Amino acid sequence: MKLLVDGFATKSTRADQELRVLAYPSAIDLSSGHLRHLAGHLAARRREIGTRWRRITPGRQALLVLAHLRCGGTYAQLAAGFDIGVATVYRYAREAIEVLATLAPSLARVMRTSSRLAFAILDGALRPIDRIAADTPYYSGKHKRHGMNVQALTDPFGRLLWASPALPGSTHDLTAARTQRDRRSSRRCRTQVLGGQGIPRRWLPGPGALDRRRLKQWQRRHNSTHAKIRCVGEQAMAVLKGWRLLRKLRCSTNRITDIVKAVLVLHHAST
């Protein structure tokens, strides 16, 4: 049902039959390749489980999920925009994220494919979450906020190769790196892995963070060179920050790993 309020067209939605919302055109800064990639996997998913009918097509569901991940749209906002219920939006978004998460590459696979690289860069980032002060495991003393620790592996050109499962924010970067490390794949791969400031050289092959106290001149030059190389890894962190949902996660901490993997798969679909 369409009405006119102060000259603007409004419509009634299933999300809230009592509220008249204003509609306006919007855009998502993603290519059509992302939409086709996700819609194809969602259509295959529906054929696999034998879905006969749904409120929206796979293409519309893919658009809904991209708006949720890229723009951080809430379930209520998406329900009003796509004229479906809030519970339906939740089911569609969760289904698509789980489908994408299964396509994410494993660490062993990435180590095999990157064996020809001169080096790779491993760095960590804290993804903020909405938790109270009592949730101690998720509080990062370094960043002074609650979040989840995500490790990312980058090639020498700044391309994101792999993202680790999310760990509580109180986990140190070195502990997180050791937790995610695959010893067997590390032995087969000859690629040097450069760590961030929190990952010393004692564990990772190649140059890493030296003790800053009483450094000699050649050690300072060594650290400076390492920092110039490691800054390329910050581009991978920028890729994750480009998806607004990861800037402030308000979902269960058990779902954050799948969300990060889904973002990684969509990023690879555009490269």
Side-chain angles (χ1 to χ4, degrees):
M1 179 176 59
K2 295 184 178 180
L3 301 175
L4 287 177
V5 178
D6 295 334
F8 293 96
T10 66
K11 62 179 181 179
S12 175
T13 66
R14 290 178 177 269
D16 192 347
Q17 297 294 340
E18 300 298 329
L19 177 65
R20 302 295 185 266
V21 296
L22 298 176
Y24 67 96
S26 183
I28 306 176
D29 55 340
L30 295 174
S31 65
S32 58
H34 293 88
L35 183 64
R36 292 192 298 267
H37 179 78
L38 180 53
H41 287 290
L42 291 177
R45 170 66 176 173
R46 294 187 182 188
R47 290 192 298 267
E48 179 183 354
I49 63 178
T51 300
R52 299 181 59 184
W53 180 86
R54 290 199 182 184
R55 288 281 303 173
I56 57 179
T57 63
R60 294 282 291 174
Q61 182 182 357
L63 183 63
L64 181 151
V65 175
L66 292 179
H68 177 57
L69 294 175
R70 188 69 175 183
C71 304
T74 63
Y75 296 143
Q77 293 172 344
L78 295 174
F82 287 83
D83 196 15
I84 56 179
V86 176
T88 305
V89 173
Y90 172 79
R91 291 195 304 268
Y92 284 175
R94 183 161 187 172
E95 178 189 35
I97 290 174
E98 291 177 354
V99 168
L100 290 174
T102 58
L103 303 174
S106 63
L107 178 58
R109 175 185 170 187
V110 171
M111 295 297 286
R112 288 194 302 267
T113 56
S114 62
S115 59
R116 297 181 180 180
L117 298 176
F119 62 88
I121 304 170
L122 180 66
D123 202 358
L126 187 77
R127 298 294 89 207
I129 59 175
D130 56 343
R131 288 296 183 272
I132 59 177
D135 297 325
T136 306
Y138 302 103
Y139 184 78
S140 172
K142 175 182 177 182
H143 299 276
K144 307 301 181 183
R145 64 173 63 178
H146 294 80
M148 300 292 288
N149 190 323
V150 177
Q151 302 288 313
L153 192 66
T154 315
D155 67 0
F157 306 99
R159 291 190 292 262
L160 182 62
L161 300 176
W162 171 80
S164 71
L167 296 175
S170 60
T171 307
H172 191 271
D173 284 345
L174 176 58
T175 304
R178 284 174 172 169
T179 302
Q180 312 300 344
R181 182 176 58 162
D182 187 341
R183 296 180 182 273
R184 291 176 299 178
S185 61
S186 298
R187 292 194 190 103
R188 299 192 194 104
C189 181
R190 298 181 180 179
T191 303
Q192 291 186 349
V193 181
L194 307 184
Q197 294 180 354
I199 304 177
R201 292 181 175 82
R202 292 189 300 272
W203 176 72
L204 294 172
L210 291 174
D211 189 359
R212 297 181 180 180
R213 296 171 298 180
R214 302 175 182 176
L215 292 180
K216 298 180 180 180
Q217 188 65 27
W218 68 271
Q219 292 174 327
R220 295 181 183 276
R221 290 196 303 266
H222 191 82
N223 272 357
S224 178
T225 303
H226 174 259
K228 291 178 182 179
I229 298 176
R230 195 184 62 83
C231 70
V232 180
E234 297 298 333
Q235 298 181 18
M237 296 295 106
V239 170
L240 296 179
K241 293 177 182 178
W243 298 79
R244 295 184 182 178
L245 185 64
L246 293 178
R247 298 180 186 178
K248 184 67 173 181
L249 290 159
R250 296 177 175 85
C251 61
S252 171
T253 55
N254 298 326
R255 297 185 54 207
I256 295 177
T257 296
D258 286 346
I259 293 176
V260 173
K261 290 182 177 180
V263 169
L264 176 65
V265 172
L266 291 174
H267 172 68
H268 287 171
S270 63
T271 57

